[in-house]
Amino acid sequence: RSFYKLSENNYIKDIVLSNKNREFKLYYISKKVDYNNRNKEIPEFWKEVKQKYPEFIKNKRYGFLERCNNETYYYCLLENEFDNSNIKNIKKCNYFAIKATSFESKDIIENINKGIKEYIKSLNYRLLKLPIIEVYYKDFVEILLPITWYF
């Protein structure tokens, strides 16, 4: 692992180049969202989920956006099963992690885009067609970009 500290106004705290294979088995609830209105709809969905499932308030939680066939879904996930949850297995891969201090949807989207444009390509990585995972902790968000190396 390599660590890089940044002090930028878009709330990126540090970047971790993580080359460990990691897989996820998570429990989720999802909702169809309008991709062009995701800045607004995703926070509203989180609010609904936290009201209905208190487990999402006190535990580390995950989120990601999935687009397929012109439809967009947002997933709210936990490591443990909860009422009416489904299971999502995300296959093993390497992740490039960005630690951000802003929980705002627009900042998370901006940090994902910046991570892809500025760091992934310049470091000779390639983004895999797997979910970009947001991991929500008490004081920060870790954005996990699924990567492989160019050969």
Side-chain angles (χ1 to χ4, degrees):
R1 287 169 81 109
S2 302
F3 294 90
Y4 296 91
K5 288 277 184 203
L6 296 178
S7 58
E8 301 195 16
N9 31 349
N10 69 350
Y11 306 102
I12 293 179
K13 191 170 182 183
D14 49 39
I15 295 174
V16 180
L17 300 180
S18 179
N19 57 7
K20 64 180 176 183
N21 263 340
R22 190 165 171 194
E23 64 185 317
F24 293 91
K25 178 182 177 182
L26 300 168
Y27 298 89
Y28 74 90
I29 186 162
S30 64
K31 180 179 183 176
K32 187 176 177 180
V33 294
D34 176 359
Y35 184 79
N36 295 320
N37 196 29
R38 67 193 187 278
N39 274 355
K40 198 174 195 176
E41 291 184 25
I42 291 171
E44 288 170 3
F45 182 45
W46 270 116
K47 189 176 179 180
E48 291 169 24
V49 168
K50 288 177 185 177
Q51 286 174 346
K52 189 169 183 178
Y53 305 101
E55 306 91 294
F56 278 89
I57 296 169
K58 56 185 178 262
N59 292 304
K60 177 170 71 169
R61 59 196 187 278
Y62 301 79
F64 68 79
L65 200 64
E66 188 173 68
R67 294 180 78 181
C68 93
N69 301 328
N70 294 329
E71 292 188 335
T72 304
Y73 293 88
Y74 188 80
Y75 292 77
C76 294
L77 310 96
L78 291 175
E79 293 174 350
N80 297 313
E81 197 170 359
F82 58 95
D83 287 347
N84 303 315
S85 65
N86 297 304
I87 193 161
K88 186 81 164 173
N89 290 301
I90 300 170
K91 71 180 191 175
K92 190 181 282 193
C93 77
N94 296 316
Y95 287 93
F96 180 90
I98 298 171
K99 184 177 176 183
T101 56
S102 174
F103 287 77
E104 294 293 321
S105 189
K106 66 177 181 53
D107 293 330
I108 291 169
I109 292 167
E110 184 180 321
N111 286 330
I112 288 170
N113 291 334
K114 186 174 189 157
I116 293 167
K117 288 177 186 159
E118 293 185 21
Y119 306 117
I120 299 300
K121 292 178 181 171
S122 67
L123 295 168
N124 215 22
Y125 294 125
R126 185 170 55 86
L127 196 64
L128 294 173
K129 291 187 187 285
L130 290 171
I132 295 171
I133 302 170
E134 305 145 19
V135 186
Y136 294 88
Y137 297 90
K138 183 182 176 193
D139 299 327
F140 66 94
V141 180
E142 185 177 46
I143 300 165
L144 301 176
L145 303 170
I147 57 164
T148 188
W149 289 265
Y150 279 115
F151 292 107

